[in-house]
Amino acid sequence: MRTQVAIIGGGPAGLLLSHLLHRRGIDSVVLESRDRAYVEHRQRAGMLEQGTTDVLRESGAGERLDREGLVHHGLELRFGGTGHRIPLTDLTGRTVTVYAQTEIVKDLVALRLADGGDVRFEAEVLGIDASAPSVTYRHNGRTHTLDCDFIAGCDGFHGVGRSAVPGLRTFSREYPFAWLGILADVPPSTDELIYANHGRGFALHSLRSPKVSRLYLQVSPKEDLASWPDSRIWDELAARFATDDSWELRQGPITDRSITPMRSFVAEPMRHDRLFLAGDAAHIVPPTGAKGLNLAVSDVIILARALTERYASGSQTLLDAYSATCLRRAWRAEHFSYWMTTLLHVDPSADEFGHRLQRSQLDYVASSKAAATSLAENYVGLPLD
Ligand SMILES: Cc1cc2nc3c(=O)[nH]c(=O)nc-3n(C[C@H](O)[C@H](O)[C@H](O)COP(=O)(O)OP(=O)(O)OC[C@H]3O[C@@H](n4cnc5c(N)ncnc54)[C@H](O)[C@@H]3O)c2cc1C
């Protein structure tokens, strides 16, 4: 069996790449190790940069996003019992949109299948030959080989793509905290996201729809989910979001909960021979800056452009520049995500000097237009080129 581009992974990066290539007349096969229901219901990201919504819309994948996505023009930093609004749109002219990763994946799977696309679920890639090139995968109990012109490793942090890049250099940072995230059937208590810094730890109030709230608590990476009954989660959230005025946190049934460790990670280069890594396969950011999914999307926009140029004119120029182009953007997102994380979380090893420095930085971002603009332009996403 043969295709032009073999795509490993049916997460947002792999599915969007397949969709963008199809629009440019390039064939691909997506190989995804999990089943369709699993990838469509895995709770993860929810905040989209304008560049991400633009590409979904322009490529014909934005119909439901336009109907159901919630456009935001600002966010709140809450500390010392007071909220401080960062007016993202006033400062940058751009917006962000709340639309869950689960919904993007559902939209893209449906579109690929409607367009006659080849998306194989429960097809686990076992081996990669980046020179031949080809991939070996297991599907329905049998081993198959897929020959191709190029391979896209969109298989996430735990995938096999990275291990096929010889001489790979990796850079990483572990954080002394994790996020306990919940999904609750209750209308959000806020119109815009609240990023709260509190002596008890960081908390984030996000949302998925006008009826569903998404909330996070900073916890220890060793925390056991079993020791967090609903009442403890709500009490802790209420304590960390408490203000000096009458703001109240609405509570409702919790429908999903998980603990996610936080890490920063970059692998260089993002290419070996005819294999190209994209998304979480090449880089991970702590979720505080809402950058992971957006970074995966920008990688595949850059890769789709490069492959289009290669098939249209035979030129390798954009393919040769792929790794450096993506890494420049990835490192900017790494820095911003690290900065947002250290700005807002309580470092258990910090002393009073560290706490004072953190408070000073929060005051500065809340009071200086220049500092707020720096946060805002990174948060809404820097231009692709
Ligand atoms: C709690 C949480 C909150 C987040 N919040 C945000 C946010 O607000 N904004 C944001 O931008 N990002 C956020 N992120 C990050 C975002 O979810 C990821 O960056 C995004 O999923 C990356 O997409 P991807 O397609 O590169 O990888 P993935 O979504 O991991 O997809 C990779 C796919 O490859 C498949 N696969 C793996 N190995 C193989 C194999 N051998 N063969 C075949 N298939 C394989 C996997 O099953 C998976 O489906 C968050 C993440 C978490 C965990």
Short mmCIF file of all heavy atoms in Angstrom, two decimals, residues 8-14 31-34 39 42 44-47 101 123-125 154-156 159-160 214 216 260 278-280 287 290-294 296, ligand 1:
data_model
loop_
_atom_site.label_atom_id
_atom_site.label_comp_id
_atom_site.label_asym_id
_atom_site.label_seq_id
_atom_site.Cartn_x
_atom_site.Cartn_y
_atom_site.Cartn_z
N ILE A 8 1.42 9.76 11.30
CA ILE A 8 1.30 8.95 12.51
C ILE A 8 0.60 9.79 13.56
O ILE A 8 1.13 10.83 13.97
CB ILE A 8 2.67 8.49 13.03
CG1 ILE A 8 3.53 7.94 11.90
CG2 ILE A 8 2.50 7.44 14.13
CD1 ILE A 8 4.98 7.70 12.32
N GLY A 9 -0.57 9.36 14.01
CA GLY A 9 -1.29 10.08 15.05
C GLY A 9 -2.51 10.81 14.52
O GLY A 9 -2.43 11.60 13.59
N GLY A 10 -3.66 10.51 15.15
CA GLY A 10 -4.92 11.15 14.77
C GLY A 10 -5.39 12.11 15.85
O GLY A 10 -6.56 12.19 16.16
N GLY A 11 -4.43 12.86 16.43
CA GLY A 11 -4.79 13.97 17.32
C GLY A 11 -5.02 15.20 16.45
O GLY A 11 -5.08 15.10 15.21
N PRO A 12 -5.12 16.37 17.06
CA PRO A 12 -5.38 17.58 16.26
C PRO A 12 -4.31 17.83 15.19
O PRO A 12 -4.64 18.23 14.07
CB PRO A 12 -5.40 18.71 17.29
CG PRO A 12 -5.18 18.12 18.62
CD PRO A 12 -5.11 16.63 18.50
N ALA A 13 -3.03 17.57 15.50
CA ALA A 13 -1.98 17.85 14.52
C ALA A 13 -2.12 16.94 13.30
O ALA A 13 -2.15 17.42 12.15
CB ALA A 13 -0.60 17.68 15.16
N GLY A 14 -2.25 15.65 13.52
CA GLY A 14 -2.32 14.70 12.40
C GLY A 14 -3.56 14.90 11.55
O GLY A 14 -3.51 14.87 10.32
N LEU A 31 -2.69 7.17 10.63
CA LEU A 31 -2.68 5.95 11.43
C LEU A 31 -2.77 6.33 12.90
O LEU A 31 -1.88 7.03 13.42
CB LEU A 31 -1.38 5.17 11.17
CG LEU A 31 -1.15 4.76 9.70
CD1 LEU A 31 0.27 4.25 9.50
CD2 LEU A 31 -2.17 3.71 9.28
N GLU A 32 -3.83 5.92 13.57
CA GLU A 32 -4.07 6.31 14.97
C GLU A 32 -4.21 5.06 15.81
O GLU A 32 -5.04 4.19 15.51
CB GLU A 32 -5.34 7.19 15.04
CG GLU A 32 -5.94 7.36 16.43
CD GLU A 32 -4.97 7.96 17.46
OE1 GLU A 32 -4.35 9.00 17.16
OE2 GLU A 32 -4.81 7.37 18.55
N SER A 33 -3.43 4.98 16.88
CA SER A 33 -3.42 3.73 17.66
C SER A 33 -4.71 3.52 18.47
O SER A 33 -5.11 2.39 18.71
CB SER A 33 -2.21 3.71 18.60
OG SER A 33 -2.20 4.85 19.42
N ARG A 34 -5.38 4.61 18.88
CA ARG A 34 -6.59 4.47 19.71
C ARG A 34 -7.84 4.36 18.84
O ARG A 34 -7.79 4.61 17.64
CB ARG A 34 -6.74 5.70 20.60
CG ARG A 34 -5.58 5.94 21.51
CD ARG A 34 -5.50 4.86 22.56
NE ARG A 34 -4.64 5.23 23.65
CZ ARG A 34 -4.87 4.91 24.92
NH1 ARG A 34 -5.91 4.21 25.26
NH2 ARG A 34 -4.02 5.28 25.85
N VAL A 39 -10.26 9.15 21.00
CA VAL A 39 -9.61 10.42 20.60
C VAL A 39 -10.62 11.56 20.59
O VAL A 39 -10.27 12.71 20.81
CB VAL A 39 -8.88 10.34 19.24
CG1 VAL A 39 -7.72 9.39 19.27
CG2 VAL A 39 -9.79 10.02 18.09
N ARG A 42 -11.09 12.73 24.59
CA ARG A 42 -9.96 12.98 25.49
C ARG A 42 -9.95 14.47 25.86
O ARG A 42 -9.72 15.32 25.02
CB ARG A 42 -8.69 12.58 24.75
CG ARG A 42 -7.45 12.55 25.56
CD ARG A 42 -6.33 11.85 24.81
NE ARG A 42 -6.37 12.11 23.37
CZ ARG A 42 -5.68 11.44 22.46
NH1 ARG A 42 -4.92 10.44 22.83
NH2 ARG A 42 -5.75 11.74 21.19
N ARG A 44 -8.79 17.90 26.93
CA ARG A 44 -7.50 18.59 26.97
C ARG A 44 -7.69 20.07 26.77
O ARG A 44 -8.35 20.72 27.55
CB ARG A 44 -6.56 18.00 25.93
CG ARG A 44 -5.99 16.66 26.37
CD ARG A 44 -5.01 16.21 25.37
NE ARG A 44 -4.19 15.11 25.82
CZ ARG A 44 -3.19 14.66 25.11
NH1 ARG A 44 -2.91 15.17 23.94
NH2 ARG A 44 -2.46 13.66 25.57
N ALA A 45 -7.16 20.59 25.65
CA ALA A 45 -7.11 22.04 25.46
C ALA A 45 -8.49 22.65 25.17
O ALA A 45 -9.43 21.93 24.83
CB ALA A 45 -6.17 22.36 24.32
N GLY A 46 -8.54 23.98 25.27
CA GLY A 46 -9.80 24.63 24.97
C GLY A 46 -9.68 26.08 24.56
O GLY A 46 -10.69 26.73 24.29
N MET A 47 -8.49 26.62 24.53
CA MET A 47 -8.34 28.04 24.21
C MET A 47 -7.55 28.19 22.90
O MET A 47 -6.40 27.78 22.82
CB MET A 47 -7.59 28.73 25.37
CG MET A 47 -7.42 30.21 25.19
SD MET A 47 -8.97 31.07 24.89
CE MET A 47 -9.51 31.43 26.55
N GLN A 101 -10.81 21.08 22.44
CA GLN A 101 -10.01 20.22 21.55
C GLN A 101 -10.84 19.00 21.10
O GLN A 101 -10.73 18.56 19.97
CB GLN A 101 -8.75 19.77 22.28
CG GLN A 101 -7.86 18.83 21.49
CD GLN A 101 -6.49 18.65 22.14
OE1 GLN A 101 -5.97 19.57 22.77
NE2 GLN A 101 -5.91 17.49 21.98
N ALA A 123 -4.79 1.54 14.73
CA ALA A 123 -3.67 1.18 13.85
C ALA A 123 -2.41 1.75 14.49
O ALA A 123 -2.13 2.94 14.37
CB ALA A 123 -3.89 1.77 12.46
N GLU A 124 -1.68 0.90 15.20
CA GLU A 124 -0.52 1.38 15.95
C GLU A 124 0.77 1.24 15.15
O GLU A 124 1.11 0.13 14.70
CB GLU A 124 -0.39 0.58 17.26
CG GLU A 124 0.71 1.14 18.12
CD GLU A 124 0.99 0.31 19.35
OE1 GLU A 124 0.38 -0.76 19.51
OE2 GLU A 124 1.84 0.74 20.15
N VAL A 125 1.45 2.35 14.98
CA VAL A 125 2.72 2.32 14.24
C VAL A 125 3.80 1.71 15.13
O VAL A 125 3.98 2.11 16.29
CB VAL A 125 3.11 3.74 13.77
CG1 VAL A 125 4.53 3.74 13.20
CG2 VAL A 125 2.12 4.22 12.71
N CYS A 154 3.11 12.89 14.04
CA CYS A 154 2.18 13.74 14.83
C CYS A 154 1.65 12.90 15.97
O CYS A 154 0.46 12.94 16.28
CB CYS A 154 1.02 14.21 13.95
SG CYS A 154 1.51 15.10 12.47
N ASP A 155 2.51 12.08 16.59
CA ASP A 155 2.04 11.06 17.51
C ASP A 155 2.23 11.42 18.98
O ASP A 155 2.28 10.53 19.83
CB ASP A 155 2.71 9.71 17.18
CG ASP A 155 4.21 9.81 16.99
OD1 ASP A 155 4.72 10.95 16.89
OD2 ASP A 155 4.88 8.77 16.96
N GLY A 156 2.29 12.72 19.26
CA GLY A 156 2.25 13.15 20.66
C GLY A 156 3.52 12.84 21.43
O GLY A 156 4.49 12.27 20.90
N GLY A 159 4.66 9.08 21.62
CA GLY A 159 4.67 8.35 20.35
C GLY A 159 6.03 7.75 20.01
O GLY A 159 6.99 7.81 20.79
N VAL A 160 6.10 7.21 18.78
CA VAL A 160 7.33 6.54 18.34
C VAL A 160 8.17 7.41 17.39
O VAL A 160 9.32 7.09 17.11
CB VAL A 160 7.00 5.21 17.60
CG1 VAL A 160 6.45 4.19 18.57
CG2 VAL A 160 6.03 5.43 16.44
N ARG A 214 -14.82 24.60 33.27
CA ARG A 214 -13.58 23.81 33.35
C ARG A 214 -12.71 24.52 34.37
O ARG A 214 -12.41 25.72 34.21
CB ARG A 214 -12.92 23.81 31.96
CG ARG A 214 -11.61 23.06 31.89
CD ARG A 214 -11.84 21.60 31.61
NE ARG A 214 -10.61 20.90 31.25
CZ ARG A 214 -10.26 19.73 31.78
NH1 ARG A 214 -10.99 19.15 32.70
NH2 ARG A 214 -9.16 19.12 31.37
N TYR A 216 -9.28 24.35 37.26
CA TYR A 216 -8.02 23.68 37.59
C TYR A 216 -7.49 24.18 38.93
O TYR A 216 -7.63 25.36 39.25
CB TYR A 216 -6.95 23.98 36.54
CG TYR A 216 -7.27 23.54 35.13
CD1 TYR A 216 -7.83 24.43 34.22
CD2 TYR A 216 -6.99 22.24 34.70
CE1 TYR A 216 -8.11 24.04 32.91
CE2 TYR A 216 -7.26 21.85 33.40
CZ TYR A 216 -7.82 22.76 32.51
OH TYR A 216 -8.08 22.37 31.22
N THR A 260 -2.80 16.22 35.89
CA THR A 260 -1.83 16.28 34.78
C THR A 260 -0.52 16.86 35.29
O THR A 260 -0.51 17.99 35.80
CB THR A 260 -2.36 17.21 33.67
OG1 THR A 260 -3.71 16.87 33.39
CG2 THR A 260 -1.52 17.10 32.42
N ALA A 278 5.82 16.90 14.41
CA ALA A 278 4.95 18.07 14.58
C ALA A 278 4.16 17.92 15.88
O ALA A 278 3.80 16.82 16.28
CB ALA A 278 4.00 18.20 13.40
N GLY A 279 3.87 19.05 16.52
CA GLY A 279 3.04 19.05 17.73
C GLY A 279 3.76 18.49 18.94
O GLY A 279 5.00 18.60 19.07
N ASP A 280 2.98 17.85 19.83
CA ASP A 280 3.53 17.34 21.09
C ASP A 280 4.63 16.30 20.89
O ASP A 280 5.38 16.02 21.82
CB ASP A 280 2.41 16.71 21.94
CG ASP A 280 1.60 17.76 22.71
OD1 ASP A 280 1.69 18.95 22.35
OD2 ASP A 280 0.88 17.37 23.65
N PRO A 287 0.49 23.87 30.62
CA PRO A 287 -0.71 24.40 29.98
C PRO A 287 -1.08 25.84 30.37
O PRO A 287 -2.03 26.41 29.81
CB PRO A 287 -1.81 23.43 30.41
CG PRO A 287 -1.28 22.76 31.62
CD PRO A 287 0.20 22.75 31.52
N ALA A 290 -1.75 28.21 27.57
CA ALA A 290 -2.69 27.72 26.55
C ALA A 290 -2.03 27.65 25.17
O ALA A 290 -2.60 28.08 24.17
CB ALA A 290 -3.93 28.59 26.51
N LYS A 291 -0.82 27.11 25.11
CA LYS A 291 -0.07 27.15 23.86
C LYS A 291 0.05 25.80 23.13
O LYS A 291 0.33 25.78 21.92
CB LYS A 291 1.36 27.66 24.13
CG LYS A 291 1.43 29.14 24.38
CD LYS A 291 1.35 29.94 23.10
CE LYS A 291 0.84 31.33 23.27
NZ LYS A 291 -0.58 31.52 23.12
N GLY A 292 -0.10 24.66 23.82
CA GLY A 292 0.24 23.37 23.22
C GLY A 292 -0.48 23.07 21.92
O GLY A 292 0.14 22.80 20.89
N LEU A 293 -1.80 23.15 21.95
CA LEU A 293 -2.58 22.85 20.76
C LEU A 293 -2.29 23.87 19.65
O LEU A 293 -2.16 23.52 18.47
CB LEU A 293 -4.07 22.87 21.12
CG LEU A 293 -5.06 22.81 19.98
CD1 LEU A 293 -4.89 21.53 19.17
CD2 LEU A 293 -6.48 22.89 20.50
N ASN A 294 -2.16 25.12 20.04
CA ASN A 294 -1.91 26.18 19.05
C ASN A 294 -0.55 25.98 18.37
O ASN A 294 -0.39 26.23 17.18
CB ASN A 294 -1.99 27.55 19.73
CG ASN A 294 -3.41 27.84 20.21
OD1 ASN A 294 -4.31 27.94 19.39
ND2 ASN A 294 -3.61 27.94 21.51
N ALA A 296 0.90 23.05 17.99
CA ALA A 296 0.74 21.88 17.10
C ALA A 296 0.12 22.33 15.78
O ALA A 296 0.52 21.89 14.70
CB ALA A 296 -0.14 20.84 17.79
C1 LIG B 1 -4.96 19.24 30.85
C2 LIG B 1 -4.45 19.84 29.57
C3 LIG B 1 -4.88 21.12 29.20
C4 LIG B 1 -4.42 21.69 28.02
N1 LIG B 1 -4.86 22.95 27.70
C5 LIG B 1 -4.44 23.51 26.54
C6 LIG B 1 -4.95 24.79 26.12
O1 LIG B 1 -5.80 25.42 26.77
N2 LIG B 1 -4.52 25.30 24.94
C7 LIG B 1 -3.59 24.61 24.17
O2 LIG B 1 -3.23 25.14 23.10
N3 LIG B 1 -3.10 23.39 24.54
C8 LIG B 1 -3.50 22.82 25.69
N4 LIG B 1 -3.06 21.57 26.03
C9 LIG B 1 -2.10 20.86 25.16
C10 LIG B 1 -2.78 20.16 23.96
O3 LIG B 1 -3.82 19.33 24.39
C11 LIG B 1 -1.74 19.36 23.16
O4 LIG B 1 -0.67 20.22 22.86
C12 LIG B 1 -2.32 18.76 21.87
O5 LIG B 1 -3.12 17.64 22.15
C13 LIG B 1 -1.22 18.35 20.88
O6 LIG B 1 -1.79 17.72 19.76
P1 LIG B 1 -0.97 16.60 18.97
O7 LIG B 1 -1.86 16.19 17.83
O8 LIG B 1 0.40 17.09 18.69
O9 LIG B 1 -0.79 15.41 19.99
P2 LIG B 1 -1.88 14.46 20.67
O10 LIG B 1 -3.15 15.18 20.89
O11 LIG B 1 -1.21 13.82 21.83
O12 LIG B 1 -2.15 13.35 19.55
C14 LIG B 1 -1.21 12.35 19.23
C15 LIG B 1 -1.96 11.11 18.76
O13 LIG B 1 -1.03 10.13 18.34
C16 LIG B 1 -1.50 8.85 18.73
N5 LIG B 1 -0.35 7.92 18.79
C17 LIG B 1 0.64 7.87 19.71
N6 LIG B 1 1.50 6.88 19.42
C18 LIG B 1 1.06 6.31 18.27
C19 LIG B 1 1.52 5.22 17.46
N7 LIG B 1 2.62 4.51 17.78
N8 LIG B 1 0.81 4.89 16.35
C20 LIG B 1 -0.31 5.58 16.01
N9 LIG B 1 -0.80 6.59 16.75
C21 LIG B 1 -0.11 6.96 17.86
C22 LIG B 1 -2.15 9.12 20.09
O14 LIG B 1 -3.10 8.13 20.45
C23 LIG B 1 -2.80 10.49 19.84
O15 LIG B 1 -4.13 10.36 19.42
C24 LIG B 1 -3.50 20.96 27.19
C25 LIG B 1 -3.08 19.67 27.55
C26 LIG B 1 -3.54 19.11 28.72
C27 LIG B 1 -3.08 17.71 29.06
#
